[in-house]
Amino acid sequence: MGQWHDRPVSQICKELDSSPSGLSARQAQQRLERVGPNELERPAPPSLLMRVWGQLKDPMILVLLAAAGISLAASGGEDWLDGAIILIIVAVNAILSINQEDHAQQALEELRRMSSPMARVVREGREKQVPAAQLVPGDVVRLEAGDLVPADARILECSRLQADESAMTGESVPVEKEPRDALPPDTPLGDQVNMLISGTLITAGRGTALVVATGMDTQMGHIAGMLLEDREGETPLQRKMGEISKSLSFLCLSVCAVMFGVGLIQGRDMLGMFLTAVSLAVAAIPEGLPAIVTIVLAMGVQRLARRGAIVKKLPAVETLGCASVICSDKTGTLTQNRMTVQEVWVPAGAHRREAMVAGCLCSDARLEWRSGAPWASGDPTEAALVVAAAREGVDQRRTEEERPRLGDIPFDSGRKLMSTLHAGKEGGYTLYVKGAPDILLQRCVATPSGPMTQEGRQRALRANEDMARRALRVIAVARRDLSTQPARLEPGEMERGLTFLGLFGLMDPPRPEAKRAVERCHLAGVRPVMITGDHRETAAAVARELGIANAGDLTITGPELDFMPQEVLEEDIARFSVFARVSPEHKMRIVRAWQKKGHVVAMTGDGVNDAPALKAADIGCAMGRSGTDVAKGAAHMILTDDNFSTIVAAIEEGRGIYSNIKKAIHYLLSCNIGEIFTIFTATLLDLGQMPLVPVQLLWLNLVTDSLPALALGVEPVEEGVMEERPRDAKAGLFNRSFSFRLAWQGLMVGGLTLGAYFLGLRVLGEPGLEGAAANTMAFATLTLCQLFHAFNVRSEDRSLFVQGVLSNSAMNKAFLTGLAMQLAVLLLPPLQGVFSVCPMTGKQWLAVGLLAVAPVPICEVSKALARPGRTAGEKPVPPASRETRRPAAK
């Protein structure tokens, strides 16, 4: 993609072998065959087979498939139920995930849709309409208000030409275009006034331009290319699941090896010992874990949708929980993308109403009333003046009926003024003028209260400087009373001897809820950063008002970034809170610099220019209402209400989802450790029979374990979660404290089960039925113990009784369902035979009940000992980070 703004038009015409009269039909056809159509490349979509493989290559899935294969091979195909159920779970998990990821390539489709279907082109000296796809470099196109620019083009000539480039540059005000012969090579895209960008909209005027780039060579094509090249990395959750898979694989192999070695030492049958070891290894794998994680994420997606956030890919839900930096676009994301009058300054003796009348009459914007509120269409600046006047009782339509327009002098970038002539209310005529304050004030000789003094002029200039210093766009208005209607409206003759009426200070204001959302970000340890294509002063002012830029924070522009090596940017990235006048490449560099520093980056945006950074970020958040379809297609999440605060709520939800997934993993693994400990210990002690038979293990793994784990997935977000720093995405799930809890709680469950087994075998078993009673008591204790233990896992450190024993209705239902299913197995004769259990006596039931409920008081004592000096239910607040928790600017 070359640069075309920095050379004379004559040189560009020579390079493209063209001229202002355009190409011939033959030249156009030859070039079309050589460079291809003016369309974006279509990447080959992945086949269904590749998408399925993408799901199956997950480490946890591979472990499960290996376990299923070993189980089927070791049993000789006779005991096929375990393997079949594992394969069904894998298939269901893949289907759920693929259904959530059907929009992976929408961004490019929407980019193609934005291309103009037809274009007016000059060929062989005549204007004709052709499909935009047939444009080639060297073509001359003609454009007017309402046209979509069909290709990147260099302006040859124009009249009052303006283009809305907000989707590409972030500039909230239409850009005035002019056919300058050459600009400096390092001119940012948003300041290239002699160029038109493909996919942008002509809002005013007309012009003729020379096509310099088509298809993938355009600025939009460059963005599409970045979307094609950028590959998404693993999410933190996917890395954690890979970590779990490795741990489980090591555990399974270790169990097999140790069990096999023990059997050889004890002189047992080698084949039988191998089958026992493999059965225990298969039992150690929580078969339902991938499906449970997928379902928990899917339920999180539904909750986020109710809060205004639509998540396209399941793992992105959890990624939100560890976001530590939010790189937010300004226009339309933090601001309203609507110019608004913020201040009105009038000279001494003047009235605001006179300034409002001038602002609404000297305008091409048109006032409308929608649901009782004023709204205007047209140029954003003019629309803001018309709306401001209407809010102060100056209705444009009624005012124009009283003072009809008789003529106008259009705005010109050379003189920076616009004038309209109106009939007076009581005879005579009035010329209203608006434009740049420094230019207009030079032509004013009076104010409504008398002659314009030097002191009065200085006061007006100081007011202008004060507004400009606060990044307000300043418009001055004036009038000239005429006794007769002029025959011709000549700017030099008419726009002098004016009466100065006042100044308007305008800006695209911040969203009302954005400031509170930024405050919540700081409280949660999340660093908000503004990235915009707007000017430095405007961006910095908005950032200061919202609290994004605090004392000591710096602002940097795109041209300055061009001279900064990526290594330096990565080192100094935390010093900058505002990035202004940036291009799509800059946005990607910024996102990757934060990622290089170890941060999980969320990127919000709504324009075409945001799409590459949205895709490169760990979590891309597009605006649903004002966002372009391109941005929505590239993002991982869409905010349906265009509310910046929704992403903060989504981060809170993401933290809760991760916590719940961790709880589910904690519950499943601690229960499985209990099962392993029970069987492993029984094998070492050579008790003559196993405490649990295979069908009982299958029942535990696939039924009793899964329901409470799912209930943990909908656990309400714990209090204080947004007062903690983001977790380290690189930190392992199995840290010391988590591994210790898994170990001792698993040993607790296993120990209680073995206790029940020995009570049945040595104490409570009836003569001749000791083995059956021991097996039944162990099975009943282990199952019910796991159901009660699920309540302990609801919080790491908060007391269950402070949290509320019955506060999670899903857990209550899971417990009752699991209890009913287990009692059915233990009490119904047909099921007793299937699961190899026998009826229990009253004493045996009492022993089972006491052992099963024991995990609750044991874990309550453990939680109490772990929180010395804090009241029950209070969560510790970690120390603030210098990067993320900073004092407000003074």
Side-chain angles (χ1 to χ4, degrees), residues 90-107:
V90 169
V92 170
N93 182 69
I95 291 170
L96 287 173
S97 297
I98 288 175
N99 284 340
Q100 288 289 333
E101 298 177 2
D102 278 340
H103 303 294
Q105 296 300 323
Q106 277 191 353

Side-chain angles (χ1 to χ4, degrees), residues 378-398:
D379 177 84
T381 300
E382 293 188 332
L385 297 179
V386 170
V387 169
R391 286 177 175 160
E392 297 202 14
V394 181
D395 185 284
Q396 184 189 48
R397 292 184 179 180
R398 288 199 300 267

Side-chain angles (χ1 to χ4, degrees), residues 503-751:
L503 302 171
F504 290 94
L506 303 93
M507 73 176 298
D508 179 12
R511 292 178 175 273
E513 67 281 356
K515 186 170 184 178
R516 172 58 184 155
V518 169
E519 291 174 356
R520 291 198 70 200
C521 284
H522 288 304
L523 183 65
V526 179
R527 173 79 178 269
V529 176
M530 180 186 291
I531 304 180
T532 179
D534 218 333
H535 294 278
R536 179 200 291 265
E537 293 76 13
T538 304
V542 174
R544 285 193 298 270
E545 183 174 348
L546 290 174
I548 291 176
N550 293 318
D553 291 344
L554 302 180
T555 299
I556 190 171
T557 64
E560 291 168 343
L561 279 174
D562 288 332
F563 291 97
M564 181 179 289
Q566 185 66 14
E567 297 78 14
V568 176
L569 177 61
E570 292 168 1
E571 182 66 27
D572 296 340
I573 188 69
R575 299 173 60 198
F576 305 107
S577 286
V578 180
F579 298 83
R581 305 305 283 172
V582 295
S583 67
E585 297 94 330
H586 295 141
K587 293 186 178 186
M588 293 185 70
R589 285 185 61 195
I590 295 164
V591 168
R592 286 171 174 159
W594 279 111
Q595 291 171 331
K596 189 75 173 180
K597 295 282 282 187
H599 289 276
V600 174
V601 182
M603 167 75 186
T604 69
D606 59 358
V608 174
N609 62 331
D610 295 323
L614 286 171
K615 190 172 182 182
D618 297 285
I619 177 73
C621 309
M623 300 294 126
R625 292 180 183 172
S626 62
T628 61
D629 289 331
V630 180
K632 295 175 190 176
H636 306 87
M637 184 175 77
I638 299 169
L639 307 180
T640 60
D641 55 2
D642 281 19
N643 193 334
F644 177 79
S645 63
T646 300
I647 191 174
V648 183
I651 288 175
E652 180 181 19
E653 192 71 45
R655 291 185 178 186
I657 288 169
Y658 176 79
S659 176
N660 290 347
I661 290 174
K662 187 176 179 181
K663 292 171 186 175
I665 293 172
H666 177 183
Y667 172 73
L668 290 172
L669 295 187
S670 62
C671 290
N672 280 18
I673 289 172
E675 297 168 16
I676 294 170
F677 179 71
T678 300
I679 297 177
F680 187 70
T681 303
T683 302
L684 289 178
L685 296 178
D686 195 12
L687 298 176
Q689 71 172 34
M690 287 295 175
L692 300 168
V693 298
V695 69
Q696 293 170 348
L697 285 174
L698 183 64
W699 175 263
L700 284 164
N701 283 359
L702 299 182
V703 180
T704 313
D705 286 1
S706 300
L707 291 176
L710 285 173
L712 288 169
V714 295
E715 184 73 26
V717 178
E718 292 191 58
E719 295 178 6
V721 72
M722 289 300 282
E723 296 176 6
E724 301 174 1
R725 289 183 60 194
R727 71 179 189 279
D728 185 355
K730 295 181 179 179
L733 177 64
F734 292 100
N735 56 34
R736 182 176 299 178
S737 61
F738 185 71
S739 300
F740 179 71
R741 283 197 305 274
L742 281 181
W744 81 257
Q745 291 177 12
L747 294 177
M748 172 192 69
V749 172

Side-chain angles (χ1 to χ4, degrees), residues 718-720 724 795 797-799 802 867-877:
E718 292 191 58
E719 295 178 6
E724 301 174 1
S795 178
D797 57 359
R798 297 182 71 207
S799 169
V802 171
R867 51 174 183 265
R870 288 189 285 122
T871 58
E874 181 185 3
K875 292 189 72 65
V877 179

Side-chain angles (χ1 to χ4, degrees), residues 341 344 352-361 385 388-389 392 394 504:
V341 173
V344 180
R352 288 169 61 97
R353 185 177 182 85
E354 292 184 90
M356 293 295 177
V357 169
C360 76
L361 290 181
L385 297 179
E392 297 202 14
V394 181
F504 290 94

